[in-house]
Amino acid sequence: MKKMYGITTAMLTPLDSDGNILEQQLKDYTEFLINRGVHCLYPLGSMGEMNLLTLDQRKKAAEIIIDTAKDRVPVFVHVGATREEDTLLLAHDALEQGADGIGIVTPSYWPFKQNEVIGYFERIAKTLPDDFPIYIYNIPQYTTIDMTTDMMKTLTNRCKNVVGMKYSVGNMARTQEYLKIKTNDFSVIQGGDLLLTLAMTLGCDGVISGYSSAFPEYFVQIWDLYKEGKLEEAKLLQNKITDIVSVLKKEVSTIPKLKTILKLRGMDIGVCHKPFLMPTEEQENQIITHLKHFEVL
């Protein structure tokens, strides 16, 4: 089974001011990421404004990305939704469209019990082929649900197609515990992309990186440097990208900021769904000054 590895970009979703998907921009943006060397694509997750999109929009966006990628890089579509029925619909649509695999975030809002969460994933996994890879997306700071190591062991023992975890918490001790799971050749991908070098040192297969949606070549270069044994150079570049993305951290949400940065870099993919707000003119000028300081523009 295919697995996610290296720099897997958590893609943004191009949208116009009415919330419609900008289809040509999505094709161009997919090419932008592939041409800059990312190893895999992960659309329609948190960075893709998943639950702010309609089901039809999510299906259409997945279709465009899979068709544009044309097997040049693996595409793992995030299909998690509030309703189990919607997650099932999106999962089977991704399979039919030719996705290489899927990601599914834990249920959210209600503090479901462990057996309820395991049952949710098991029911979905059992409706899909055993050779269609599924990654569980654990981001408890957003969902209130924490997929523990024991829960993952239970799930992987029951479902051959549950092959990995996207863990979006900077808890390296827990990351190491996930790495001890051997069932289904278990794969661990860190969601904290600013922890790339540390995650690689621990043995993770890579990162699912939101910031690589705007700076793909930087993250690919960090990966390459690490693989070449140039650890100090990799750390220096990691520190540089951490400083670059720190601009207006408290004033502007990450997704609007990254869409603005992409526009400034020549890849205009529109705006965000409300309640996200795009940067003001003054804030955009601050971003420009910051990027020029780091010679990004």
Side-chain angles (χ1 to χ4, degrees), residues 176-194:
Q176 287 181 304
E177 289 300 313
Y178 288 132
L179 286 163
K180 293 176 184 177
I181 299 173
K182 301 303 180 185
T183 319
N184 304 342
D185 191 25
F186 195 72
S187 169
V188 180
I189 301 285
Q190 213 351 288
D193 47 2
L194 299 181

Side-chain angles (χ1 to χ4, degrees), residues 8 15 98 101 107 112 148 150 182 207 227 232 238 250 264:
T8 297
L15 298 169
F112 295 108
T148 67
D150 286 342
K182 301 303 180 185
V207 294
K227 288 294 186 179
E232 289 307 313
Q238 177 87 76
K250 294 181 179 179
L264 296 171

Side-chain angles (χ1 to χ4, degrees), residues 51-98:
N51 287 340
L52 298 177
L53 303 174
T54 68
L55 295 181
D56 285 342
Q57 285 180 315
R58 292 177 70 170
K59 290 162 66 176
K60 185 62 178 177
E63 176 189 353
I64 290 169
I65 293 163
I66 293 165
D67 288 349
T68 303
K70 294 176 181 173
D71 296 321
R72 289 176 289 169
V73 296
V75 178
F76 280 72
V77 178
H78 177 260
V79 300
T82 303
R83 298 174 68 249
E84 183 172 326
E85 295 85 352
D86 293 341
T87 302
L88 277 165
L89 184 152
L90 292 170
H92 283 270
D93 180 75
L95 174 65
E96 292 164 13
Q97 295 287 357

